[in-house]
Amino acid sequence: RGVLREKISAATSTEEKVGHLLALASLEARGGDLDAALEAAREATALAAERADAWDAMQRVLEARGEPLKAVEAQIRAAETTANGMERA
């Protein structure tokens, strides 16, 4: 976790930082620290609201926290993001 936090701090691009945040969210969730996982997922979606994978991570964390309505909202955002990306392609 410490190494990922260092990589997040040292990231030189938003894409790099978001990638590390998503890895941290996954690691924290698997370790049972759902508050830390949610914090990382929130930061990722704040930095890259256009990334479906960030919203997918948020959805998984919210489900694990027992917040199904918020999880569905995140799932919808992921689907909208994917749809918008396909329209631009």
Side-chain angles (χ1 to χ4, degrees), residues 7-67:
K7 287 184 176 188
I8 290 165
S9 295
T12 57
S13 71
T14 300
E15 185 173 326
E16 181 184 10
K17 186 171 188 171
V18 170
H20 295 317
L21 284 165
L22 295 177
L24 181 61
S26 177
L27 182 67
E28 296 288 17
R30 282 182 291 180
D33 190 344
L34 298 177
D35 291 338
L38 182 60
E39 181 180 330
R42 279 189 176 145
E43 190 171 347
T45 58
L47 289 171
E50 73 285 356
R51 285 186 54 171
D53 59 343
W55 290 106
D56 285 337
M58 176 74 80
Q59 183 256 332
R60 287 189 302 275
V61 171
L62 289 167
E63 277 185 0
R65 287 172 54 91
E67 299 182 48

